[in-house]
Amino acid sequence: MNGRRPFLVGFLLTAAVWAGGAVPWALTDREPAPAATPGPGALAGPNIAAEGRSRAAGRQALGMAWSSTWSATVPEGSAVPDRALGAGRCAELFTWATERSAVPRGTATAAFTLTAPEDRGLVVRSLRVVKGRKLPPPKGTDVECLGAVDRGVPQSMESWGRLSLDRPRDLKVSRAVGPGATVGGLIETRTTDCSCQWWIEVEVWEGAKKRTIRIDDAGSPFTLAPPVAGIGAPAQGGALKYGTPDVALAREDSPGDAPSEPSVSASRLLAGNGQEMWMVADREVPEVGRLTANLDVPGAVCQRVERRLVADGALPAGRAAYAVSIADPSAREDLERVVDVSLKVKKTVREGPPPQGYGCYPAQWGLQTNDKQTEASVRLSRDTPHLPVLTGEPVQLFRETEDEPATGTVFVTVEAWDPDDAEYHFTLDVTVEDASGKRTHHTVDDAGRPFVLASRPDGMAPRHEKYAYYENGHKVG
């Protein structure tokens, strides 16, 4: 077996997993597919691939970029669990919602693969989205992910384009695929007024034969409904560009009018290139071991480890930087604000066995954090239930587009160095004052919960971590 064959087998298995175990299928606008008799254990119905033809597999995807927003409506009767909400929880919310037939709102992304027949290649010439039967507008709980990037989609899968159900058109492409080979991609579909089923049709040439291949959601049509008002406050998306994790939100009540007052949010910054990462978890997280199988990738391993730990509910330890974002839709000419920030802190001591400590250290690591852009740094202790952080800090707001509120961001670092197994739970009190002297007060938390920072003993070195990893190095522990 040559070196190419195992790669193809692995890719096809991945495609099958995306399709939820369904057998990909092909349609033609020239010839009907021959009847096929399912073998033992095969899926019956129309989702059977015709022998010797191209195959396709598709599934819903969360998003395409850090700036993406994914929203959907979960049918009535399903309460969103706490574990699927908050910072770094978009993947959990997306999985929970799609398992309950949530209907995407406004925009939907599909990930797909196309596989050529074993005996000949294919050329992809165009694709389009097809509107299916109408559906009643969905009712239930609205959910939303800010910074919705589907990390289950390989980075090598490119976006093939954006299409609209409101203005259908053919998207012309040119992709050549060799015999038995697979190509994959992402398609974003939008609507403003259609509550309906949809799927993708791809026109390909297999040698001299033209065929139309249907791509759907593991044998069923995709669904899409008109957009709903955003759940997150305008300020909640402001910090994503600085390296904060995604945020998963839910709303059971009908949305009100768009806010005219300033909104404020705070998000922890994830480690960037060259920054070490410290976290503690209530249990061992086996997925981390797979991520660190190859440590010779500077600037990549630690960031992936941290995202995995955040998604698993692990806590930052010792030191964490936060972006405090202000958005003011009423700001026009006067774009300067004065901001006060303080913390309301509650200290607790963890019960039970000690947590699992994780450290990840870039090549030639030192004490590097997001401090370089920080306006203030504070240290938590048992004696500081109320802790001032910034007083009279000037903040300049910027307006990127006329349709969006003016935004500004300040950065603070919070430290917790204690000899015991302490955890600090805190919220932020933020006051924003404009040039006229008008002040607004905001209590800011982590998507409905306090922020949490675990303590870390002073002077702890990497060798003291239960699981310490070095990029361009080796595992210790």
Side-chain angles (χ1 to χ4, degrees):
M1 181 178 288
N2 58 34
R4 180 168 165 268
R5 182 68 60 181
F7 170 78
L8 292 175
V9 172
F11 207 109
L12 294 177
L13 287 174
T14 301
V17 171
W18 282 350
V23 180
W25 65 299
L27 297 179
T28 173
D29 54 358
R30 302 283 180 85
E31 308 169 39
T37 302
L43 295 176
N47 209 27
I48 302 298
E51 184 66 27
R53 293 189 181 178
S54 305
R55 295 173 293 163
R59 73 159 174 88
Q60 295 185 61
L62 180 54
M64 300 167 63
W66 65 267
S67 56
S68 296
T69 297
W70 173 83
S71 62
T73 299
V74 184
E76 293 175 317
S78 299
V80 184
D82 288 343
R83 61 172 175 78
L85 296 174
R89 296 291 197 276
C90 271
E92 284 75 17
L93 180 61
F94 177 72
T95 299
W96 178 88
T98 53
E99 287 176 349
R100 286 156 182 79
S101 302
V103 178
R105 306 304 298 255
T107 302
T109 301
F112 65 91
T113 56
L114 293 168
T115 303
E118 290 291 336
D119 59 343
R120 59 192 181 279
L122 64 83
V123 178
V124 185
R125 288 303 187 192
S126 69
L127 53 80
R128 58 184 170 270
V129 293
V130 179
K131 189 185 300 185
R133 69 181 180 88
K134 291 185 178 180
L135 300 174
K139 296 181 180 180
T141 301
D142 294 331
V143 295
E144 180 177 86
C145 283
L146 303 176
V149 178
D150 196 322
R151 303 192 182 280
V153 174
Q155 294 183 353
S156 58
M157 292 186 69
E158 62 178 320
S159 169
W160 283 33
R162 291 176 168 86
L163 292 170
S164 172
L165 287 173
D166 306 329
R167 295 177 297 278
R169 66 180 178 91
D170 282 7
L171 179 65
K172 301 299 183 183
V173 296
S174 181
R175 300 286 196 283
V177 185
T182 298
V183 65
L186 297 164
I187 285 290
E188 186 178 271
T189 302
R190 300 187 176 194
T191 188
T192 58
D193 56 15
C194 181
S195 183
C196 52
Q197 297 178 335
W198 65 279
W199 57 87
I200 302 169
E201 288 184 352
V202 184
E203 281 198 358
V204 303
W205 286 89
E206 299 173 1
K209 290 186 176 182
K210 180 182 176 182
R211 298 195 187 280
T212 299
I213 303 174
R214 171 169 160 162
I215 298 172
D216 56 25
D217 190 7
S220 300
F222 296 105
T223 58
L224 188 58
V228 292
I231 299 174
Q236 285 187 291
L240 293 171
K241 66 183 73 174
Y242 301 109
T244 63
D246 52 48
V247 180
L249 304 166
R251 174 183 58 213
E252 295 184 5
D253 301 325
S254 299
D257 296 332
S260 58
E261 295 289 331
S263 63
V264 178
S265 74
S267 301
R268 183 174 74 87
L269 300 179
L270 298 181
N273 289 335
Q275 297 172 1
E276 74 277 8
M277 178 277 301
W278 300 329
M279 299 195 78
V280 295
D282 290 334
R283 65 176 186 88
E284 184 178 349
V285 183
E287 295 86 352
V288 170
R290 291 192 286 273
L291 293 175
T292 56
N294 179 9
L295 295 171
D296 298 324
V297 189
V301 173
C302 290
Q303 295 178 51
R304 295 177 66 192
V305 167
E306 183 176 29
R307 287 187 180 278
R308 177 63 262 174
L309 289 168
V310 167
D312 203 71
L315 302 176
R319 176 194 298 258
Y322 299 84
V324 182
S325 297
I326 301 101
D328 192 344
S330 65
R332 293 297 170 184
E333 301 297 331
D334 174 27
L335 295 175
E336 185 169 300
R337 298 291 182 269
V338 177
V339 176
D340 297 337
V341 179
S342 61
L343 304 184
K344 284 187 176 178
V345 186
K346 180 180 179 180
K347 179 182 176 181
T348 63
V349 177
R350 289 188 297 269
E351 298 180 355
Q356 310 283 342
Y358 286 88
C360 195
Y361 302 88
Q364 300 177 348
W365 70 277
L367 187 59
Q368 301 179 50
T369 66
N370 293 288
D371 291 357
K372 61 183 179 181
Q373 58 188 5
T374 296
E375 278 82 6
S377 180
V378 294
R379 183 165 179 168
L380 303 179
S381 75
R382 67 189 69 202
D383 303 320
T384 52
H386 183 267
L387 185 63
V389 182
L390 291 171
T391 302
E393 181 70 20
V395 178
Q396 189 70 30
L397 304 184
F398 298 93
R399 186 183 299 278
E400 295 186 5
T401 68
E402 190 61 30
D403 297 333
E404 296 179 352
T407 61
T409 303
V410 295
F411 303 91
V412 299
T413 295
V414 181
E415 300 180 350
W417 309 94
D418 272 327
D420 53 13
D421 291 335
E423 288 180 359
Y424 291 92
H425 300 241
F426 60 91
T427 58
L428 285 75
D429 281 348
V430 182
T431 301
V432 181
E433 181 179 344
D434 63 18
S436 69
K438 179 182 178 182
R439 295 163 65 90
T440 59
H441 301 273
H442 310 264
T443 298
V444 183
D445 56 23
D446 183 16
R449 311 180 180 83
F451 293 97
V452 184
L453 181 64
S455 65
R456 180 184 168 93
D458 272 319
M460 177 174 279
R463 65 180 178 274
H464 295 136
E465 298 282 0
K466 183 172 180 62
Y467 297 100
Y469 303 91
Y470 294 80
E471 292 180 345
N472 286 351
H474 58 281
K475 174 182 174 181
V476 176

